[in-house]
Amino acid sequence: MTNAYDAFDADKPLMLRCACGQDHAPGEHGQATGSSEEELSCNFMEASLVKALFPVDSVRRSFLRAVGANTARAAIASVLPMSALQAMAQDKGPLEKKDLKIGFIAITCATPLIMAEPLGFYRQQGLNVQLMKTAGWALIRDKMINREHDASHFLSPMPLAISMGLGSTQVPMNVATIQNTNGQAITLHVKHKDKRDPKSWKGFKFAVPFEYSMHNFLLRYYLAENGINPDTDVQIRVTPPPEMVANLRAGNIDGFLGPDPFNQRAVYDEVGFIHILSKEIWDGHPCCAFGVSEDFIQKNPNTFAALYRAVITSSLMASQPKDRELIAKVIAPAQYLNQPETVIAQVLSGKFADGLGNIRNVPDRANFDPVPWQSMAVWMLTQMKRWGYVKGDVNYRQIAEKVFMLTDAKKYMAQAGWKPPEGAYRKFKVMGKEFDPAKPEEYARSFAISKMNPA
């Protein structure tokens, strides 16, 4: 029987769509429907990956003629966890909603959510996902609150803030997974190459993508540890990530703590240099998240589970350094990041020019660990308290455990072949100072530079 999805046939185009809506030639409709569901599913997944890797069909066919189908298939098998995908697909109930809109900002932090579309992870779970490129974080928030998007790429602190009614209407929101860890930097204008000491930054203007962002909290932390009061000694303004490089070029800002690929794009355009990677402030820090409303989960439990499976599977692939070159190719196109592939590859591989004449090699510059540690949520809440974003008493543990869905993440990680970690309140260090999640109020009051009154 002919394989209607055979991506490894060098003599066959991989671009015809049948009237039934499936990716096969109209004349092969009967053959396709005669295959087993499992076989069709496997073949479709392979074809999706090959399509993403070789969007120009003539290039795919030339490659296959050069290396042979078996070699190509072995390479695909090393990248795509087919057995885990098939096992997960069997454990599902009927979907309440198949057509979904998922919001995202065009940054590398959204890699798992983005790549799941061209690589077929959503469709493997029976979902028809429309990725909605969105201009800024306030719009992401509003579209989720107004139910225009079913799920979204979030900054990790945003679901906490929305759930608490900070800066918006109060709506229960959840962090299902962390999308990325590390992957940010402080980038300065090239005119400041002689001002590498943060203590010399009084009067500087900085950009961050949103108030309720790790970027804002990490920049404030870094400045304060160097004796700079972020509220009185510098200006911090909210700027959508795609506008950061243009503002740096125009001299409207002196620097930004922002997401990639814009740190690397500033270097690529020769308007900025990378002062410090965010991993050098807190190695392993969370940045962005995949989130949904509590209402969506309650009304669409099977759809949510399918979406969770797709995103976790995508995160597992994104976490593998060997797959980063492929991923850079998949997420670079205009409908996704719309950036030069070389810029994204530098970010994901960790081998990059820093704008100071150096080529650095930091393999975990950007990483993709999906665990929504509740201790991370507690740390974010301490910084909201420290800088006056939240007033009065905060029930840190209750909010963290309500919003960060750690138990669910571990469940689906295990199904995807990922060994889930133990515990919920992992300890970590920020600029050498250990954070004890059991003593959040004490920690929030421990800083010399803060909006909180001393204890």
Side-chain angles (χ1 to χ4, degrees), residues 231-418:
D231 289 311
T232 58
D233 294 333
V234 298
Q235 293 182 38
I236 299 177
R237 58 182 63 172
V238 171
T239 304
E243 298 176 15
M244 286 181 170
V245 175
N247 274 275
L248 193 68
R249 180 184 292 110
N252 297 331
I253 55 175
D254 296 284
F256 59 83
L257 200 163
D260 276 312
F262 298 109
N263 301 290
Q264 202 59 49
R265 185 61 190 261
V267 174
Y268 182 83
D269 289 352
E270 300 182 344
V271 298
F273 67 93
I274 294 175
H275 168 73
I276 189 173
L277 297 176
S278 58
K279 80 174 292 288
E280 299 172 75
I281 300 173
W282 171 2
D283 192 8
H285 74 82
C287 184
C288 288
F290 153 55
V292 293
S293 68
E294 191 173 287
D295 180 70
F296 180 85
I297 298 172
Q298 291 174 351
K299 292 180 178 177
N300 308 281
N302 294 331
T303 295
F304 173 63
L307 185 56
Y308 219 140
R309 287 191 291 266
V311 174
I312 284 287
T313 303
S314 192
S315 295
L316 177 59
M317 181 176 173
S319 72
Q320 307 299 312
K322 66 183 177 65
D323 297 332
R324 300 284 174 81
E325 184 177 348
L326 165 65
I327 292 168
K329 184 184 295 291
V330 165
I331 67 177
Q335 69 268 38
Y336 303 130
L337 297 194
N338 193 28
Q339 293 289 331
E341 189 180 319
T342 183
V343 171
I344 301 171
Q346 287 188 66
V347 173
L348 296 184
S349 70
K351 188 174 183 179
F352 61 95
D354 65 1
L356 294 168
N358 307 308
I359 301 296
R360 298 183 60 186
N361 190 10
V362 185
D364 57 349
R365 170 181 174 172
N367 215 338
F368 301 94
D369 183 348
V371 183
W373 291 105
Q374 287 157 354
S375 52
M376 292 175 171
V378 172
W379 186 88
M380 296 172 203
L381 291 167
T382 67
Q383 300 309 293
M384 292 183 195
K385 184 75 178 286
R386 176 185 181 183
W387 300 115
Y389 293 105
V390 58
K391 310 290 186 182
D393 295 335
V394 177
N395 193 327
Y396 297 94
R397 190 180 186 108
Q398 182 184 74
I399 297 170
E401 293 179 2
K402 177 71 171 175
V403 176
F404 275 47
M405 302 179 65
L406 181 63
T407 301
D408 297 81
K410 288 184 179 184
K411 170 186 173 182
Y412 291 110
M413 286 176 71
Q415 288 185 13
W418 199 320

Side-chain angles (χ1 to χ4, degrees), residues 10-41:
D11 297 318
K12 175 181 174 182
L14 190 63
M15 57 185 179
L16 295 178
R17 176 173 284 274
C18 178
C20 74
Q22 299 302 313
D23 284 313
H24 52 253
E28 293 175 333
H29 175 76
Q31 294 172 330
T33 54
S35 302
S36 72
E37 182 178 350
E38 182 176 354
E39 182 182 357
L40 282 172
S41 182

